[in-house]
Amino acid sequence: MDLSLWAKLNGTIINIVTVALGTGLGLALRGRLPERMQTVIMQALGLVTLFIGLSMAGSMNKAGATLQSTAQASQPIVVDGVVIGLVGLVVGGLLGEWWRVEERLAALGDWLKAKFNGSGRFTEGFVAASLLFCIGPMTLIGSINNGLVGDSQLLVIKAALDGLAAVALASSFGIGVGFSILIILIYQGGVALAAGSLATILPNPAVDPRVLIITGVGGLMVVGVGINLLDLTKIRVASLLPALLMAPLLHWLISLL
């Protein structure tokens, strides 16, 4: 099926529009709400983010890998998905610290802040929104469906959720939240455009164990974003981003053994 550029990217474009509108509404509310109300809004978003992340993390329980060398044995060895996720997070986190992903993403936020005369918690809002809007199964599966067959339904649902979250984030962090649309365009749009080649690797992404392990690991990272939003401690979520590649790679390697 030969799809037009609009058919492949309409879900991403709708997502960008809702985040921009949500950011605008959040900025309009920012100066009108007392600080205690802004705090309550952020706490509500943080709690919902924790719930979404924990729900996603359960996908790791469905993503175990069987060692091929023992597949014919009476009791084949199955490596639990949680173990794969843990190793993927540790290895990915070490790589993220080595590559200084957290600092590079923050530096991008600082550059945008200086370029567009941002102020206040611009960089913090940019980083938090970029991570929240781009980590999760809706982003990956929705982008593949959109780019492969022009089905934008999942991304439209995601766009509505992201727009509401942008209102809460922008009311607290400011306009930096809106600049997360650059990350949405690059990552989500890039996956949609590459969906043709991904289809041969992931013929049924909704149940593919590699996608499930990505969903589970991503869920734990979303939990980290929620913890950061609640100011419970500082989780270096951006440094864990390489785990989204390391976990499915590890699953594939185990399946080959």
Side-chain angles (χ1 to χ4, degrees):
M1 183 186 300
D2 188 14
L3 298 175
S4 66
L5 191 61
W6 164 253
K8 293 180 179 180
L9 295 177
N10 55 6
T12 297
I13 293 172
I14 292 171
N15 201 166
I16 288 173
V17 171
T18 60
V19 170
L21 291 175
T23 300
L25 181 56
L27 292 174
L29 293 173
R30 191 180 189 195
R32 301 175 184 272
L33 294 177
E35 185 176 349
R36 65 181 186 279
M37 291 186 179
Q38 294 184 32
T39 300
V40 167
I41 291 174
M42 286 302 300
Q43 289 175 342
L45 178 60
L47 289 173
V48 172
T49 301
L50 285 177
F51 172 76
I52 292 173
L54 289 171
S55 300
M56 290 167 53
S59 297
M60 285 189 292
N61 292 321
K62 307 173 186 177
T66 302
L67 291 171
Q68 292 297 320
S69 59
T70 62
Q72 304 302 320
S74 57
Q75 292 184 336
I77 299 175
V78 178
V79 181
D80 193 276
V82 175
V83 175
I84 298 174
L86 172 61
V87 177
L89 279 168
V90 170
V91 175
L94 291 174
L95 288 173
E97 287 298 323
W98 182 30
W99 295 332
R100 303 182 67 82
V101 176
E102 186 96 16
E103 287 76 8
R104 293 178 189 276
L105 186 57
L108 176 58
D110 289 338
W111 180 82
L112 290 170
K113 179 178 180 179
K115 190 74 173 178
F116 294 94
N117 297 318
S119 60
R121 304 172 72 184
F122 182 104
T123 300
E124 191 176 349
F126 168 74
V127 172
S130 297
L131 293 172
L132 183 60
F133 297 158
C134 291
I135 299 173
M138 282 189 174
T139 303
L140 181 60
I141 299 174
S143 297
I144 292 174
N145 288 343
N146 199 184
L148 190 60
V149 296
D151 181 4
S152 62
Q153 182 178 2
L154 203 56
L155 288 186
V156 170
I157 296 172
K158 174 183 179 293
L161 296 174
D162 288 352
L164 292 173
V167 176
L169 289 171
S171 67
S172 179
F173 293 122
I175 198 172
V177 173
F179 283 86
S180 64
I181 63 177
L182 298 174
I183 306 300
I184 294 174
L185 178 62
I186 293 171
Y187 174 62
Q188 195 166 287
V191 172
L193 292 176
S197 58
L198 288 175
T200 59
I201 305 173
L202 305 171
N204 192 357
V207 296
D208 191 287
R210 291 161 294 186
V211 175
L212 291 174
I213 199 70
I214 291 174
T215 299
V217 169
L220 291 178
M221 294 168 65
V222 170
V223 169
V225 173
I227 290 173
N228 289 343
L229 291 176
L230 292 171
D231 283 330
L232 298 178
T233 187
K234 176 61 178 176
I235 306 294
R236 293 176 63 83
V237 179
S239 291
L240 296 173
L241 285 173
L244 295 175
L245 294 176
M246 295 307 302
L249 177 61
L250 182 62
H251 187 284
W252 175 72
L253 289 174
I254 291 173
S255 299
L256 288 180
L257 295 178

